[in-house]
Amino acid sequence: MSTLFSKPVDRRDFLKKMSQVGVALTFTTFGACERLAEAIRNRPTRYRMRAGGGAAVDQAASIYSDAVRQMKALPSTNPRSWVAQARIHGTPASFNFCRHNTLHFLSWHRAYLFYFEKICQTLTGESKFGLPYWNWSVDPSLPPQFTVSGSPLFEPTRVRTTLSNSNIVSRTRIENILGNSNFAAFSNQLEVTPHNYVHGNISGVLGQGNSPMDPVFWLHHCMIDCIWTDWTVNRGNDNPNNGGWPQETWTHFIDGDGNAASTTAAVTSLMPLLSYQYEDTNHGETEEKLALRTRSDFQKVRRRIEKGTTVNFDIGERLEVSRGMGLDLAQAKSQKVDVRFSQMKKIIDDSDSKDRVFVSVELAKLPPANDFFVRVYVNAPEADRNTGTESIHFAGSFAFFGTSEFKHNHEGGHHHTSRSLVDISSTLRKLMQNDMANDDSTLTLSFVAVPLDPALGQVEAALDIEKIDLIMSGVSFKSNP
């Protein structure tokens, strides 16, 4: 996992970028609480797409369908066309400008959504339109508006319209991810599962580099963005302000009028406060939701998010689990680790600790197909494909987006890597609490490859793992003065 090093934010450049997306005036022009509250309430709302959602949801679906229809009718040479917008992300066998498995996975895709939303607003004349989102943690089936043949929202290449293993993206799993207060760990886990899993499970064009050709892509990524919004705005976690993260700049986006647009990662941090809002940002098991009712409420949250924090992924200890391990779908693979539960006791005993125990899996290369995912179990050497996610030994999973055949055509020489973090802290804790482990127990990790569709049966695929490490992290949060 990359380490972040301190680098200050240039406030003048930040405000310039904010003005380019039309939100800088929010900082200075609202003199009354009522006017600020009204501006916040009236910014576009992104509704959860679902059957029986009411008039607002139906209207959002109708406007989105109209926007997609218009974009598909434009020639591919038009930068606002459906094909041109998808090409920003990639082609069937390559990634172009998108960021995956990097610290800018969330920020890049948020900017992508923002400018795509502006194109939809301009083409339809609906300035208050907000992109809808698909909450797969509540409903694992595609919204019905997207399954009607002949509709602009229909994509015939989809292999499945319902997630085969919905437990992987359940509210409980999302809550576990939201519980990580370190940005690097949170972002990685949100990407490798559920992001990768949903792409691969629906499959078809959604599983390729040009995945935005499927209208569901934008709903899927709005859900990812909604979870990030929950993590920062509602739960008080901070994005990085070091390592050059805020200054990362992208110039390949297109605004609503078809002109080239640029933005920075720092700007994306404030977009949910100033440019759009979600119908519901409570995706975990908690019931708390921040209400920005007054100028004071808003400014307090805005200042915190704008400031950010120094975020380092500090590794207290790293233990080698395996090097050069191969994993296929025919059998599970178990690895004993030279560590006792007592060595992790401080993290296990303190459920509120920011420190975590992670399994870090780094691939030598992506698999030849992304039609399977990997479950990780603790102290269950007998685990196989029939061992479910309800098992007390289940710790988490990771999936893949892209294959070993993908090319990476990035500006600035950026290339995707494939590294996955699985937080096993809560599983270790549950095993101890249920007398299924004690201080002298040693750790065994089991890796079970599972096809995305259980009906597929035996699938000929292998995973080339470069290294697996056990990481006991000491997470450092040091706010800049």
Side-chain angles (χ1 to χ4, degrees):
M1 185 62 59
S2 300
T3 302
L4 295 167
F5 300 95
S6 295
K7 186 175 181 181
V9 179
D10 186 313
R11 181 171 176 81
R12 286 177 298 179
D13 181 66
F14 175 80
L15 289 175
K16 178 181 178 182
K17 293 295 184 183
M18 291 304 292
S19 68
Q20 291 173 359
V21 295
V23 294
L25 292 178
T26 307
F27 296 163
T28 57
T29 61
F30 291 103
C33 297
E34 293 80 7
R35 293 175 63 192
L36 176 58
E38 182 180 1
I40 293 172
R41 284 195 302 269
N42 290 338
R43 70 194 189 276
T45 298
R46 294 179 175 180
Y47 290 98
R48 179 168 70 87
M49 195 55 52
R50 61 204 185 270
V57 171
D58 292 342
Q59 183 182 33
S62 177
I63 295 172
Y64 182 47
S65 180
D66 182 36
V68 173
R69 178 188 60 78
Q70 291 192 55
M71 294 173 74
K72 286 183 176 181
L74 294 173
S76 61
T77 53
N78 188 311
R80 298 189 299 178
S81 72
W82 194 247
V83 172
Q85 283 297 299
R87 195 183 297 125
I88 293 174
H89 191 276
T91 68
S94 71
F95 291 122
N96 288 335
F97 295 112
C98 61
R99 294 293 186 266
H100 290 283
N101 219 262
T102 78
L103 289 170
H104 286 291
F105 163 69
L106 293 171
S107 53
W108 186 91
H109 284 86
R110 174 173 284 176
Y112 192 30
L113 293 169
F114 173 83
Y115 285 108
F116 179 82
E117 187 172 70
K118 293 302 178 188
I119 293 173
C120 292
Q121 291 170 354
T122 302
L123 289 178
T124 62
E126 298 285 351
S127 61
K128 293 299 182 182
F129 167 74
L131 282 169
Y133 68 102
W134 170 31
N135 189 338
W136 20 251
S137 69
V138 172
D139 188 350
S141 295
L142 286 180
Q145 298 92 335
F146 290 75
T147 60
V148 180
S149 180
S151 163
L153 305 180
F154 180 76
E155 172 51 51
T157 66
R158 295 170 190 152
V159 176
R160 285 167 286 276
T161 58
T162 298
L163 301 180
S164 303
N165 294 271
S166 59
N167 229 7
I168 299 297
V169 299
S170 68
R171 287 171 61 93
T172 300
R173 294 296 157 196
I174 299 305
E175 182 68 23
N176 288 342
I177 294 173
L178 283 163
N180 273 273
S181 54
N182 178 274
F183 177 83
F186 165 75
S187 175
N188 180 275
Q189 291 179 91
L190 186 58
E191 179 177 7
V192 299
T193 301
H195 167 266
N196 289 357
Y197 173 75
V198 173
H199 271 282
N201 191 272
I202 300 301
S203 195
V205 72
L206 195 65
Q208 301 174 167
N210 64 335
S211 50
M213 290 290 287
D214 188 334
V216 165
F217 169 92
W218 306 94
L219 275 74
H220 172 41
H221 271 277
C222 276
M223 175 61 176
I224 296 293
D225 184 71
C226 189
I227 294 172
W228 183 24
T229 300
D230 186 6
W231 188 81
T232 51
V233 177
N234 295 342
R235 297 172 187 245
N237 296 299
D238 294 321
N239 300 320
N241 66 6
N242 57 326
W245 190 92
Q247 294 87 2
E248 180 82 2
T249 302
W250 305 294
T251 61
H252 44 254
F253 296 116
I254 303 298
D255 68 15
D257 296 319
N259 301 314
S262 67
T263 192
T264 66
V267 170
T268 68
S269 292
L270 288 172
M271 284 178 175
L273 282 178
L274 306 174
S275 302
Y276 58 84
Q277 59 189 319
Y278 285 97
E279 177 187 16
D280 178 19
T281 53
N282 177 25
H283 299 296
E285 295 174 344
T286 63
E287 294 301 325
E288 295 181 4
K289 183 176 179 180
L290 184 63
L292 303 178
R293 295 188 179 92
T294 68
R295 176 188 174 92
S296 176
D297 289 337
F298 175 81
Q299 293 287 21
K300 182 178 179 180
V301 174
R302 190 270 297 172
R303 283 193 296 267
R304 174 180 62 78
I305 293 176
E306 181 184 358
K307 182 179 180 181
T309 191
T310 299
V311 178
N312 296 314
F313 191 76
D314 297 331
I315 298 175
E317 189 171 355
R318 182 193 297 269
L319 299 175
E320 179 179 310
V321 176
S322 178
R323 291 293 182 272
M325 185 179 87
L327 180 68
D328 59 41
L329 288 175
Q331 58 183 0
K333 190 87 170 185
S334 294
Q335 292 284 323
K336 291 186 177 181
V337 187
D338 188 21
V339 62
R340 296 183 183 277
F341 274 57
S342 58
Q343 294 173 258
M344 303 173 285
K345 188 173 179 61
K346 182 178 179 182
I347 297 175
I348 294 172
D349 287 348
D350 186 1
S351 60
D352 295 325
S353 172
K354 290 184 172 65
D355 294 347
R356 295 285 191 274
V357 182
F358 295 100
V359 176
S360 172
V361 180
E362 188 169 345
L363 302 184
K365 60 181 179 181
L366 286 168
N370 57 10
D371 57 356
F372 67 99
F373 66 105
V374 178
R375 292 175 181 159
V376 180
Y377 296 89
V378 175
N379 285 22
E382 74 288 349
D384 58 22
R385 282 177 50 183
N386 296 317
T387 306
T389 55
E390 70 281 356
S391 168
I392 195 173
H393 298 276
F394 176 68
S397 60
F398 56 93
F400 318 97
F401 184 38
T403 71
S404 56
E405 303 302 317
F406 268 43
K407 297 178 181 179
H408 308 277
N409 308 315
H410 287 293
E411 62 181 2
H414 168 73
H415 295 281
H416 289 177
T417 58
S418 187
R419 183 183 293 109
S420 302
L421 293 176
V422 178
D423 186 348
I424 66 171
S425 310
S426 62
T427 302
L428 295 172
R429 193 172 297 117
K430 285 186 291 185
L431 291 175
M432 289 283 284
Q433 291 172 347
N434 286 273
D435 297 325
M436 302 180 73
N438 55 46
D439 288 350
D440 292 327
S441 298
T442 55
L443 183 67
T444 298
L445 299 173
S446 297
F447 302 86
V448 181
V450 182
L452 289 172
D453 188 347
L456 293 177
Q458 185 63 40
V459 178
E460 295 298 329
L463 195 58
D464 187 1
I465 296 176
E466 182 173 313
K467 59 181 179 178
I468 300 175
D469 293 325
L470 185 73
I471 295 175
M472 283 174 276
S473 73
V475 179
S476 169
F477 292 84
K478 301 175 182 177
S479 297
N480 289 341

